[in-house]
Each structure stands twice: as C-alpha cells, then as structure tokens.
Amino acid sequence: MTSASARQPAGMRPWRFVIWFGTVSLLADFVYEGARSITGPLLASLGASALLVGVVTGAGEAAALGLRLVSGPLADRTRRFWGLAIAGYALTVVSVPLLGVVGALWAACALVVAERVGKAVRSPAKDTMLSHATAATGRGRGFAVHEAMDQVGALVGPLVVAGVLAITGGDYGPALGVLAIPGVAVLGLLVWLRARVPDPEAYEREMAAPEALPATDGPLPTAFWTYAAFTAATTAGFATFGVLSYHLVERHLMAAAWVPVLYAAAMAVDALAALATGWLYDRHGARVLMALPPLTAAVAVLAFTNTVAIAVVGSLVWGAALGIQESTLRAVVADLVPSGRRATAYGLFAGVVGAASLAGGALTGGLYGYSIPVLITVVVAVQVLALVLLAVTRATWR
C-alpha cells in the first residue's frame, strides 16, 4: 500500500466519517424502520396468522444475518466494501415502496425478506468500514453514535408512516410509497461519501506500524466464537417487533395507526441505550453486556400482557435491548478480530445470530398462539442460560 493511498481519508477526519455514515444510516432507517413498524399489521391485513408473522419476520432477520456468511468473506476477499454497501442499500430502498403496492400475502412476505437481504449484502462491508474509523474515535463511542443516528431515522420514519396512515384512513400504499424519497437520498449520499473517502481502512492503518498490519487469512480467535455463542443464546429469546405489534393490534390494545408511534418511541430508547452502553463499554469493557439477558427476558414478561401501559413499557424495554444489540455487540467484534479478517468475522457472527433470530421469531410466534405463560417461561429460561454463558466466557474476551 502506497503512502499516498494511506493518506486518502485525510480530507475527512474519523469523527466526520462516522457522522456522515451515520447520516446514511439515518436516512436508510427512515426507509426500512418506517416499513418494519407496520409489518405485523400489514401482513395481518393480508390474512397472516401470528405464527406466519413470527416466521416471516424471523426469517427476514435470519436472512439479514445468515446471508452475511457469504457477503462477509466476499468483502474481505474482494475488498470492495463500497460496492457491496451501495448494492445492499439499493436493494432495501427499492423493496420498501413496492411493499405498499402488492396485494398478495406471498408477495408481501417475499418483499419483507428481500428488504432484509439488502441489509445482509451491505452490513459486513459497512461495519468493517465503520470499525476502521472507530479505531480512532473509540469503538464503543463510535458505534454508539452511529447507532443513535440510526435511531433518529428509525424514530422519524415510523412517525411519518403513522401520519400518512392517519391522513389516508389506514392506506398502507401511500404510507410506504413516501419512503422512496429518503431512499433516493441514501444512494446519492453514498456515492458522494465514497468519492471523499475511497479507502476507510487507512484510518486504522495510520494508527498501526506496518509490521503490525494483520493478514487476511488464518483462524478467527477462540474468544470470537465464545462471544458468538453468548449472543446467539440471548437472541434466541428475543421477540420481533412484528410479534409484539401483532399482539397489540389483535388484542385490541392499540389501533394499527398508533403502532408506528410506539415503534418510534422504542427507537428513541434504542438510541439512548446505545449511547449509554457504548460509553460504558469504552470505560469498563464487556461486563456492560450483563444487562442484555435481563432486558430480553423483561420484554416477554411485560410486552405480552393485556394491560396497555405494561405492554407499552415492554415495547420500550425491547428498544433498550435492541440498542445494545445494534451497537455494543458489534463494537466488541471489532475489538476481538484483526481488521484483515473483520468482514468475515462480522459475516460469521451474523450467521450464528441469524439462526438464533429465526428460532426466536418462530419460538415467540408459535408459543404466542399456544400459551403466553409458556412463552414467558421459555424466554426467561433461555436468558438465564445466556447470562450463565456470558459469566463463564467473559474472561476469554479481553
């Protein structure tokens, strides 16, 4: 690598890169979180059962995570991080508006999964580029600020969808169609940012001696695998918002037009949790993750009640748990794995978690139709197991 190449990001400081990439994610979250906020009621309006909603949303998360087993190693092998990121974002911002115009359940289910496939294509490359900049800003803080900006979009998107639903009398077409506008902005900003910072890896490379630069082959650290096992365990009991919103609407606890508002509130909690745990991670390390299994268990205990206020609190707790998952969990991976293997690690990590997400969606959706007390008992038991696994393996991570 030439010295000129190493200086490529010099026109943009690491924090500026994090902020601009956060703006991309803000706009993208405007699009897909706006859509996800009404996925449960939308599918239900087309005839879906609680089990189908759980399976489809869980399969979507599994696709978003499991397919990174391919896109992660591909990013490391080709080093085409920008190309993969742009392609993935393009698939997402095209799928969402189409979701508002299809009238068949099977087509809607396919588009829900397709939107998540876009996330699978872009995420290892995006996370790897972000990890290079956060080597200079602090892993926890950098990922936390990025996640907090994500959630600004995740808050605004559902509110816009809710407003359009209210104006149109519950017409999903215009509510999802309006999300094409920030989608176009996502692609334009990505092209501009790529031109400004063609080689984000130089942020981290400039901080390391040439002889310390990592190879792009070899096994991943054992600590990475034990960490992935803990994350899979806690994710297996994490309900999707599709199942939570299905419960709220089908039990007549909340009108469908208000579900996006609740989702937006959960995204605000997500942002606060990300910022708090990111700061704590940089100061105190992985012990901050001890909060995640209790929060995940609390979601099932609170959200599936028939009392509106308690169910709302459960949904907000869901947002707090998601904030930790989307920021601090990813920051830890960057600290465990050298940069030359990081996209592969993100892909493998997501693949393990993807299988757990599918299990979690099917588990909560299936048990919801069978017995809510059994659902709660099983989720709590899984989180106790996750907490034990975290306590046993935490010493191997540092």
Side-chain angles (χ1 to χ4, degrees):
M1 188 64 62
T2 66
S3 59
S5 176
R7 292 193 298 270
Q8 283 178 325
M12 184 176 290
R13 295 182 182 276
W15 267 119
R16 287 192 65 198
F17 181 79
V18 170
I19 296 300
W20 277 115
F21 220 137
T23 303
V24 170
S25 293
L26 184 157
L27 293 168
D29 273 43
F30 190 137
V31 177
Y32 69 78
E33 297 292 12
R36 291 178 75 199
S37 71
I38 56 171
T39 296
L42 172 63
L43 295 180
S45 74
L46 296 174
S49 65
L51 176 59
L52 182 59
V53 172
V55 170
V56 170
T57 53
E61 293 309 306
L65 298 169
L67 291 178
R68 298 181 210 185
L69 290 169
V70 176
S71 62
L74 180 64
D76 271 340
R77 186 169 61 252
T78 66
R79 316 306 288 176
R80 297 183 180 275
F81 299 112
W82 279 117
L84 288 167
I86 292 172
Y89 277 113
L91 180 57
T92 289
V93 301
V94 168
S95 297
V96 167
L98 291 177
L99 186 61
V101 298
V102 298
L105 178 59
W106 70 268
C109 292
L111 286 169
V112 168
V113 176
E115 182 274 308
R116 297 282 84 192
V117 171
K119 189 173 181 67
V121 172
R122 69 179 180 263
S123 288
K126 180 202 72 174
D127 287 343
T128 300
M129 289 191 289
L130 185 62
S131 76
H132 296 318
T134 60
T137 65
R139 299 278 192 217
R141 288 187 294 273
F143 274 95
V145 167
H146 181 270
E147 173 64 11
M149 295 186 70
D150 267 4
Q151 299 322 305
V152 172
L155 187 153
V156 174
L159 290 178
V160 169
V161 168
V164 177
L165 284 174
I167 292 171
T168 62
D171 190 342
Y172 291 110
L176 292 167
V178 73
L179 300 177
I181 298 172
V184 172
V186 165
L187 299 181
L189 185 54
L190 278 169
V191 171
W192 173 81
L193 191 57
R194 178 183 183 177
R196 290 292 306 275
V197 189
D199 181 23
E201 188 175 4
Y203 287 124
E204 188 165 352
R205 196 165 54 239
E206 288 173 350
M207 300 178 63
E211 62 272 13
L213 295 177
T216 57
D217 55 10
L220 294 171
T222 300
F224 164 80
W225 293 109
T226 59
Y227 177 66
F230 152 71
T231 308
T234 192
T235 304
F238 192 63
T240 66
F241 192 79
V243 177
L244 299 186
S245 61
Y246 184 97
H247 170 76
L248 291 168
V249 173
E250 292 301 305
R251 295 297 179 97
H252 305 291
L253 300 177
M254 184 174 290
W258 281 101
V259 171
V261 178
L262 176 61
Y263 189 81
M267 293 302 95
V269 174
D270 176 318
L272 293 174
L275 290 171
T277 57
W279 182 82
L280 289 170
Y281 173 71
D282 283 342
R283 290 179 63 87
H284 303 293
R287 71 186 67 179
V288 68
L289 296 177
M290 296 290 284
L292 185 55
L295 286 173
T296 302
V299 171
V301 173
L302 299 171
F304 293 113
T305 65
N306 289 322
T307 302
V308 176
I310 297 177
V312 166
V313 170
S315 297
L316 298 180
V317 173
W318 177 87
L322 187 65
I324 299 174
Q325 291 181 358
E326 292 292 323
S327 60
T328 309
L329 288 185
R330 291 187 292 141
V332 174
V333 173
D335 278 336
L336 290 176
V337 180
S339 65
R341 295 280 284 159
R342 201 168 293 153
T344 297
Y346 275 120
L348 291 171
F349 178 74
V352 171
V353 177
S357 294
L358 177 58
L363 177 72
T364 55
L367 290 180
Y368 178 87
Y370 174 71
S371 169
I372 289 179
V374 172
L375 184 160
I376 293 171
T377 300
V378 170
V379 169
V380 170
V382 171
Q383 296 313 303
V384 169
L385 174 63
L387 198 59
V388 171
L389 181 59
L390 175 61
V392 169
T393 62
R394 199 181 77 197
T396 68
W397 301 350
R398 305 304 294 180

